[in-house]
Amino acid sequence: MNYTESSPLTESTAIGFTPELESVIPVPSNETICENWREIHHLVFHVANIFFTIGLVIPTSLHLHMILLRGMLTIGCTLYIVWATLYRCALDIMIWNSVFLGVNILHLSYLLYKKRPVKIEKELSGIYRRLFEPLRVPPDLFRRLTGQFCMIQTLKKGQAYAAEDKTSVDDRLSILLKGKMKVSYRGHFLHNIYPCAFIDSPEFRSTQMHKGEKFQVTIIADDNCRFLCWSRERLTYFLESEPFLYEIFRYLIGKDITNKLYSLNDPTLNDKKAKKLEHQLSLCTQISMLEMRNSIASSSDSEDGLHQFLRGTSSMSSLRGSAGRQRFL
């Protein structure tokens, strides 16, 4: 039977190898597993984080959401700077929060500047409240619209704003501010124009398709009138750079043409009745003022052409009324 004795050298080597392995294996210490937590930070640190939390949970649907958010972040950064300087003595924390504070103050100042109250001239406040404010046009945008390339002009009673077949329609677009104007074709009364209504909206719509046309009607001041007048060319360029305002003008001009068409059927239509018809725009898609004026002008006898058009539009109104009654019954 073979028997092999273990030599002392072998035993000593085996015995000496174990401590070396144990020294290689890392042993967890109390510092790495955070068994001993540090003391709680000062109250200023916690108040700063409360302001950060409030700013982040403000709902975006709130009107002043961004201003409140930047305000909360500004207060939080200020408290962080106080905490880092007086209680922590941490230069890096103080520097970074100073940078964040500067950024928030700049953004907050910009937001407050945009929300500043914009003063609108007293003479223009009526058309802003009546036409533009219900469509959510900001006051600063309305001020840009009325402050650069337009002017307020005056007409005395009996003076003409436009003469048929003489005045070009390519020059201007106007809104009546005060007074009343009368529109006629070859001496035949068509309708009146009241404050807060466009004076030449049909011509503005027609010049988008054809240039160089003349007024087909005569527009005369029935009272002492004041109106806001835009340069047609400069207004067009401005609206191209403001898509929102361009759509607003399309809507307002279409609504104004509709009111003028209704006033042709009812010459007694006044400003109060016109307000009730502002929501009815379907007629504008069926017939335009340009077609009306062309139908009158194409007739050999102006009086017969005018009566023929008025009878036609009246019959259209009666047909719509009878159809509505049938649907109701």
Side-chain angles (χ1 to χ4, degrees):
M1 176 176 172
N2 295 331
Y3 177 77
T4 305
E5 294 183 358
S6 60
S7 64
L9 180 61
T10 305
E11 293 180 358
S12 62
T13 303
I15 295 172
F17 184 72
T18 303
E20 292 179 1
L21 289 178
E22 292 179 353
S23 63
V24 174
I25 299 174
V27 178
S29 62
N30 292 336
E31 294 181 357
T32 56
I33 61 176
C34 295
E35 290 183 355
N36 297 323
W37 292 89
R38 296 178 181 270
E39 69 278 2
I40 297 176
H41 290 297
H42 194 273
L43 178 64
V44 176
F45 173 83
H46 300 287
V47 174
N49 285 282
I50 290 174
F51 278 101
F52 288 144
T53 305
I54 294 174
L56 294 175
V57 299
I58 294 175
T60 56
S61 58
L62 197 63
H63 180 59
L64 300 177
H65 162 256
M66 287 303 300
I67 293 180
L68 294 176
L69 171 61
R70 290 297 173 178
M72 294 296 105
L73 294 180
T74 299
I75 296 174
C77 290
T78 302
L79 293 176
Y80 252 22
I81 294 173
V82 172
W83 169 74
T85 304
L86 300 180
Y87 303 102
R88 189 67 179 176
C89 298
L91 182 62
D92 52 348
I93 299 178
M94 187 267 293
I95 292 176
W96 275 111
N97 280 276
S98 299
V99 173
F100 297 152
L101 178 63
V103 172
N104 281 285
I105 289 177
L106 290 176
H107 198 181
L108 180 62
S109 302
Y110 171 72
L111 294 175
L112 292 175
Y113 175 77
K114 288 183 64 178
K115 291 293 182 181
R116 75 192 188 283
V118 178
K119 293 184 179 180
I120 299 176
E121 296 182 23
K122 185 177 181 181
E123 198 166 14
L124 302 178
S125 60
I127 64 172
Y128 175 72
R129 291 195 302 265
R130 171 79 178 276
L131 300 178
F132 293 92
E133 188 177 23
L135 300 177
R136 301 181 181 275
V137 176
D140 57 337
L141 183 57
F142 178 77
R143 189 174 180 180
R144 289 174 54 199
L145 175 67
T146 57
Q148 298 181 358
F149 41 84
C150 68
M151 61 184 68
I152 297 178
Q153 298 183 357
T154 303
L155 281 180
K156 294 183 179 180
K157 183 177 180 180
Q159 290 184 330
Y161 175 85
E164 54 188 279
D165 299 327
K166 293 181 180 180
T167 307
S168 174
V169 301
D170 296 332
D171 298 332
R172 56 186 175 176
L173 175 68
S174 305
I175 295 180
L176 186 61
L177 300 175
K178 181 182 178 182
K180 184 177 71 172
M181 289 186 174
K182 180 174 63 177
V183 181
S184 61
Y185 175 77
R186 296 187 182 179
H188 299 280
F189 172 77
L190 295 180
H191 61 85
N192 290 318
I193 300 176
Y194 297 95
C196 296
F198 285 91
I199 299 175
D200 43 5
S201 55
E203 287 74 19
F204 181 81
R205 179 63 59 86
S206 67
T207 53
Q208 293 179 345
M209 300 177 291
H210 306 285
K211 300 293 183 181
E213 293 187 353
K214 304 292 184 182
F215 273 88
Q216 300 176 11
V217 294
T218 298
I219 305 176
I220 298 177
D222 204 26
D223 293 323
N224 293 332
C225 298
R226 289 177 65 82
F227 58 92
L228 181 67
C229 181
W230 284 280
S231 168
R232 184 76 61 91
E233 183 178 1
R234 297 185 65 181
L235 176 63
T236 302
Y237 288 144
F238 178 76
L239 294 180
E240 289 177 354
S241 63
E242 295 287 344
F244 170 71
L245 202 56
Y246 173 77
E247 295 298 328
I248 294 296
F249 258 78
R250 286 187 60 188
Y251 170 79
L252 290 176
I253 289 175
K255 181 178 66 175
D256 187 78
I257 294 175
T258 303
N259 292 336
K260 287 179 170 58
L261 287 168
Y262 274 106
S263 64
L264 285 173
N265 292 331
D266 184 7
T268 63
L269 183 70
N270 55 24
D271 189 38
K272 293 182 179 179
K273 292 182 181 179
K275 292 180 182 179
K276 298 179 181 179
L277 300 174
E278 288 181 353
H279 66 283
Q280 301 178 11
L281 295 174
S282 60
L283 184 59
C284 184
T285 61
Q286 300 174 13
I287 187 170
S288 68
M289 288 288 288
L290 183 61
E291 293 173 351
M292 178 273 293
R293 292 170 181 172
N294 286 337
S295 65
I296 296 176
S298 62
S299 176
S300 58
D301 187 349
S302 60
E303 185 174 0
D304 293 342
L306 176 62
H307 289 311
Q308 181 180 358
F309 175 80
L310 293 178
R311 286 197 302 270
T313 52
S314 299
S315 62
M316 289 173 60
S317 299
S318 61
L319 287 175
R320 286 193 296 271
S322 62
R325 288 192 295 270
Q326 290 176 1
R327 286 194 298 270
F328 177 77
L329 295 175

